[in-house]
Amino acid sequence: MPDTADKPYVIDPMLSAKTIAARIEDLARAIRAEFSGSDKLVVVGLLRGSFVFIADLVRELDMNVEVDFVETSSYGNTMESSREVRILKDLRGDIAGRDVLVVEDIVDTGHTLAHVLHLLASRHPRKLRTIALLDKPSRREADVTADWTGFEIPDEFVVGYGIDYAQRNRNLPFIGKVRFTGAGAAE
Ligand code: IMP
Ligand code: MG
């Protein structure tokens, strides 16, 4: 796979920080309702892309939460998804009999979420639900849908709000799409 990370690009704004914050308030309300009977919710972030989303989301959840993380293999420096998902870092805690919410940044082909859900379901949580900030339904290959989605977006490569391109731009407070500039931009 070619490494395209050295091509110049600009970032066209797509979702503002304000828009994201407002949507997270709605999502948090739905999650609180779904888990109103639980004494503790285990919120599992998929590293690294979900770290900003999970930080904002748990602060809107007025309930007892535990935060844990799973890290899966990533794209490397390319924009291509890989169908083979590996677990690089597993949960620290036991989730048997617990209420679990998996937090993903983007559901793209769906292979990552499908793999993680399969793994966590095998550990017999009491309830297992998923939330994704972004969804690119047109890219789906695996049969998986998050229980809650922040925004459906077209097939564009996006960065910001925790999401990277070759480890860059995770610290942007908004989400924007990557647009290549310069020679060969249209190829
Ligand atoms: P999957 O194809 O659904 O397995 O997506 C795997 C991962 O690819 C997501 O969790 C994201 O971290 C990453 N990803 C998918 N689309 C984008 C994008 O547009 N920008 C940056 N990362 C992405
Ligand atoms: Mg990810």
Side-chain angles (χ1 to χ4, degrees):
M1 251 172 231
D3 183 339
T4 52
D6 51 353
K7 281 195 197 165
Y9 63 92
V10 294
I11 298 164
D12 297 329
M14 187 186 261
L15 298 166
S16 72
K18 250 189 175 164
T19 301
I20 297 168
R23 182 70 183 127
I24 287 176
E25 282 183 27
D26 297 341
L27 293 168
R29 253 192 300 277
I31 290 163
R32 277 201 305 263
E34 173 74 15
F35 292 100
S36 60
S38 15
D39 57 340
K40 194 192 278 172
L41 176 64
V42 185
V43 182
V44 174
L46 302 197
L47 291 172
R48 280 172 265 178
S50 72
F51 83 102
V52 176
F53 180 35
I54 198 172
D56 282 347
L57 183 66
V58 294
R59 283 180 292 175
E60 293 292 333
L61 291 177
D62 182 18
M63 60 191 292
N64 194 4
V65 302
E66 211 173 275
V67 175
D68 206 337
F69 293 98
V70 167
E71 185 173 9
T72 58
S73 49
S74 77
Y75 283 14
N77 281 352
T78 75
M79 286 180 164
E80 294 303 311
S81 182
S82 90
R83 279 166 193 82
E84 190 198 305
V85 180
R86 286 177 304 127
I87 302 292
L88 302 179
K89 182 221 167 293
D90 204 336
L91 291 176
R92 293 292 297 270
D94 185 6
I95 56 164
R98 315 281 304 273
D99 290 324
V100 178
L101 176 69
V102 175
V103 181
E104 171 67 308
D105 55 354
I106 307 180
V107 185
D108 186 32
T109 64
H111 290 295
T112 304
L113 190 58
H115 184 91
V116 169
L117 285 179
H118 184 74
L119 175 74
L120 299 189
S122 74
R123 296 174 183 173
H124 307 292
R126 192 177 83 91
K127 203 185 240 189
L128 181 61
R129 296 286 183 270
T130 54
I131 181 167
L133 180 64
L134 305 177
D135 189 359
K136 297 185 199 171
S138 66
R139 297 259 308 161
R140 196 74 86 257
E141 292 176 9
D143 183 19
V144 65
T145 321
D147 295 296
W148 301 278
T149 297
F151 305 92
E152 278 194 6
I153 60 167
D155 182 11
E156 302 281 3
F157 198 86
V158 297
V159 292
Y161 198 73
I163 300 163
D164 75 303
Y165 174 39
Q167 299 310 323
R168 289 189 300 249
N169 310 123
R170 288 193 197 274
N171 55 326
L172 286 177
F174 61 92
I175 289 171
K177 74 175 206 192
V178 169
R179 179 164 54 85
F180 290 103
T181 54
E187 68 187 26

